[in-house]
């Protein structure tokens, strides 16, 4: 039996078991799956949802949650008012599992083999797969090739080129790394690792160890000293005035030659007409490789959803389809996690291979529950040091705040 027919048969049985047309002679209301999603991908998911509804006779409703999707999902799920499915980043998994809000997904070995192994690793927690991945991404260096024809080999070379362009009046900023007044440690992480820092160590089995907090080690202080030297009291390359709200605009308006961000920026940059290239984040001279976090976006089944079996069928039958993965790529051009989808689109988008190449030296972002504790303290420490605060006491205070929250 073909998978689609099997799916329709399963749904028919569910409908009958719920008091379908043959049960009492009355037409029972159709089950309705609810999916929570961000605005960017909503149109692509609606297409898949509508197709699922046509095939199965199940209604599917997509709801856009524009802010704090993870927090809102946990709160709603624990109150029994959450959706059946939610889409989000893989580093949510530890927190979602700890709060009892998502179930493992039931993929066959054949289905698993169709995905990028790194993407599957990202959605695996405690030996179980908790999401169906659809995209991978990491921070890269996006360079205006008219202002900076050659990719810098070191961070020092990047800063020097940026300073020369500013001095010549050709640009206004050395580079644009999103930070803002409260920091953005995700974008800063490649610089932190090149300067010797790390987030969490690993256990013998390769899993991340929340007890080995790298930002509590002396190497973190040394790394923050290098970051401070790039800040407002030093080279002026890192600034709190540059945030996710204006970093891309600085690049597309040709006010900087260098944007340190990810593939989610490409669609708007392409519209701007700026000629650009993509390369890995350069390391500090004599330092370690600049290792960005590799992130995975995935679809999750809510453990307290009203239609869990249908939700399982939806994610495993539709997110494993090439046309769905390609539609999600068109909405947000990150490399697809589905191998067939990547093969289909990469010929028309040379940036995809460059993003993946830059991610080869990266590290999969930890999905352990402790990740929920790190962003706020580290972001604030980053912003404080950029503004002139002493690196040692600042990172020590951030590490203490994180350790106090790790269970």
């Amino acid at each position: 039996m073909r998978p689609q027919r099997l799916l329709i048969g399963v749904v028919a049985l569910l409908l009958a078991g719920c008091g379908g047309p043959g049960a009492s002679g009355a037409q029972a209301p159709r089950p309705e799956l609810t999916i929570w999603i961000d605005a960017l991908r909503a149109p692509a998911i609606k297409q898949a949802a509508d197709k699922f509804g046509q095939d199965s006779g199940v209604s599917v409703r997509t709801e856009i949650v524009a802010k704090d999707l993870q927090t809102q999902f946990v709160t709603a799920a624990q109150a029994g008012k959450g959706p059946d499915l939610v889409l989000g980043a893989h580093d949510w998994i530890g927190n979602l599992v700890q709060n009892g809000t998502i179930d493992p997904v039931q993929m066959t070995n054949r289905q698993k083999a169709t995905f990028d192994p790194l993407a599957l690793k990202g959605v695996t927690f405690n030996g179980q797969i908790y999401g169906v991945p659809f995209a991978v991404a990491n921070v890269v260096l996006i360079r205006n090739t008219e202002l900076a024809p050659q990719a810098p080999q070191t961070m020092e070379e990047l800063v020097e080129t940026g300073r020369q362009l500013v001095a010549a009046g050709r640009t206004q900023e050395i580079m644009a790394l999103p930070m803002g007044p409260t920091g953005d440690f995700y974008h800063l992480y490649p610089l932190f690792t090149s300067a010797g820092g790390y987030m969490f160590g690993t256990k013998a089995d390769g899993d991340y160890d929340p007890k080995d907090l790298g930002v509590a080690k002396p190497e973190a202080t040394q790394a923050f000293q290098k970051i401070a030297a790039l800040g407002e009291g030093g080279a002026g390359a890192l600034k709190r005035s540059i945030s996710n709200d204006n970093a891309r605009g600085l690049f597309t308006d040709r006010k900087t030659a260098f944007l340190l961000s990810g593939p989610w920026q490409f669609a708007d940059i392409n519209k701007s007409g700026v000629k650009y290239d993509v390369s890995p984040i350069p390391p500090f001279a004599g330092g370690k490789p600049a290792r960005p976090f590799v992130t995975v976006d995935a679809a999750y089944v809510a453990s307290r959803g009203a239609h869990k079996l249908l939700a399982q069928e939806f994610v495993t039958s539709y997110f494993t389809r090439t046309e769905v993965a390609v539609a999600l790529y068109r909405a947000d051009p990150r490399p697809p996690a589905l191998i067939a989808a990547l093969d289909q689109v990469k010929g028309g988008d040379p940036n995809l291979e460059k993003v993946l190449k830059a991610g080869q030296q990266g590290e999969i972002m930890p999905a352990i529950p402790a990740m929920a504790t790190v962003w706020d303290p580290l972001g604030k420490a980053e912003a404080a040091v950029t503004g002139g605060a002493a690196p040692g006491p600042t990172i020590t205070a951030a590490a203490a705040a994180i350790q106090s929250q790790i269970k």
Side-chain angles (χ1 to χ4, degrees):
M1 183 180 290
R2 294 174 59 190
Q4 180 171 315
R5 291 180 180 175
L6 176 60
L7 169 63
I8 295 172
V10 169
V11 173
L13 289 172
L14 287 170
L15 291 171
C18 293
S24 62
Q27 181 69 43
R30 298 199 307 175
E32 182 178 66
L33 285 177
T34 302
I35 305 173
W36 280 11
I37 190 173
D38 62 87
L40 188 62
R41 299 186 179 102
I45 291 300
K46 189 176 187 307
Q47 293 177 11
D50 289 346
K51 184 68 167 63
F52 179 80
Q54 293 168 9
D55 290 346
S56 66
V58 174
S59 298
V60 183
R61 183 175 76 250
T62 56
E63 294 184 359
I64 296 173
V65 181
K67 188 177 180 181
D68 298 328
L69 178 54
Q70 180 184 184
T71 302
Q72 290 198 51
F73 171 66
V74 170
T75 301
Q78 291 179 334
K81 299 179 180 179
D84 299 288
L85 299 127
V86 65
L87 272 64
H90 84 275
D91 64 302
W92 297 5
I93 291 175
N95 185 46
L96 298 184
V97 172
Q98 182 172 265
N99 282 284
T101 56
I102 59 172
D103 282 345
V105 294
Q106 308 302 322
M107 284 197 290
T108 65
N109 288 334
R110 184 176 181 180
Q111 288 174 325
K112 294 174 188 176
T114 63
F115 289 96
D116 177 349
L118 187 62
L120 280 182
K121 180 180 178 181
V123 296
T124 301
F125 180 71
N126 287 342
Q128 293 185 295
I129 294 176
Y130 276 92
V132 178
F134 58 83
V136 296
N138 47 266
V139 173
V140 296
L141 175 63
I142 306 171
R143 183 182 89 260
N144 182 317
T145 54
E146 293 180 333
L147 293 170
Q150 302 298 321
Q153 299 302 301
T154 65
M155 184 54 58
E156 288 83 355
E157 182 183 339
L158 184 155
V159 171
E160 180 57 28
T161 300
R163 290 177 70 172
Q164 290 176 4
L165 289 168
V166 172
R170 301 182 67 189
T171 60
Q172 295 179 10
E173 301 290 351
I174 293 173
M175 67 181 189
L177 184 150
M179 181 179 302
T182 57
D184 185 331
F185 202 72
Y186 168 76
H187 281 94
L188 186 77
Y189 192 69
L191 277 65
F192 180 71
T193 58
S194 180
Y198 68 96
M199 184 72 79
F200 290 105
T202 55
K203 303 175 184 177
D205 61 3
D207 289 344
Y208 283 104
D209 183 359
K211 296 180 180 179
D212 184 359
L213 180 63
V215 297
K217 304 296 173 62
E219 291 84 354
T221 296
Q222 296 168 14
F224 264 68
Q225 288 170 346
K226 279 189 169 290
I227 291 164
L230 294 179
E232 295 162 15
L238 297 176
K239 291 184 177 181
R240 291 169 294 176
S241 60
I242 299 175
S243 68
N244 279 301
D245 294 331
N246 65 355
R248 182 180 64 246
L250 289 170
F251 186 80
T252 56
D253 291 343
R254 297 171 173 81
K255 294 178 180 178
T256 185
F258 303 110
L259 173 63
L260 284 71
S261 193
W264 48 90
Q265 307 285 12
F266 293 157
D268 287 323
I269 295 174
N270 290 337
K271 294 175 186 176
S272 75
V274 171
K275 295 180 180 179
Y276 70 97
D277 201 358
V278 176
S279 57
I281 303 292
F284 286 106
K288 295 182 178 181
R291 296 168 59 85
F293 277 136
V294 177
T295 58
V296 181
D297 289 311
Y300 307 106
V301 174
S303 59
R304 305 183 191 184
H307 307 292
K308 290 169 57 171
L309 182 55
L310 290 177
Q312 287 277 355
E313 288 291 347
F314 180 70
V315 295
T316 57
S317 297
Y318 279 77
F319 280 87
T320 53
R321 292 188 176 188
T322 303
E323 62 269 24
V324 174
V326 170
L328 285 164
Y329 159 78
R330 301 293 181 201
D332 182 20
R334 308 183 191 208
L338 194 68
I339 295 171
L342 177 63
D343 289 341
Q344 181 172 318
V345 300
K346 68 183 181 182
D349 187 349
N351 288 333
L352 294 183
E353 294 280 14
K354 294 173 183 178
V355 171
L356 293 173
K357 182 179 179 180
Q360 288 175 356
Q361 64 184 15
E363 56 190 68
I364 195 75
M365 184 183 290
I368 56 178
M371 279 301 290
T373 71
V374 304
W375 298 118
D376 182 68
L378 289 179
K380 290 177 179 176
E382 168 195 355
V385 167
T386 297
T394 302
I395 189 59
T396 298
I402 294 167
Q403 288 175 318
S404 70
Q405 298 179 66
I406 294 178
K407 299 178 180 179

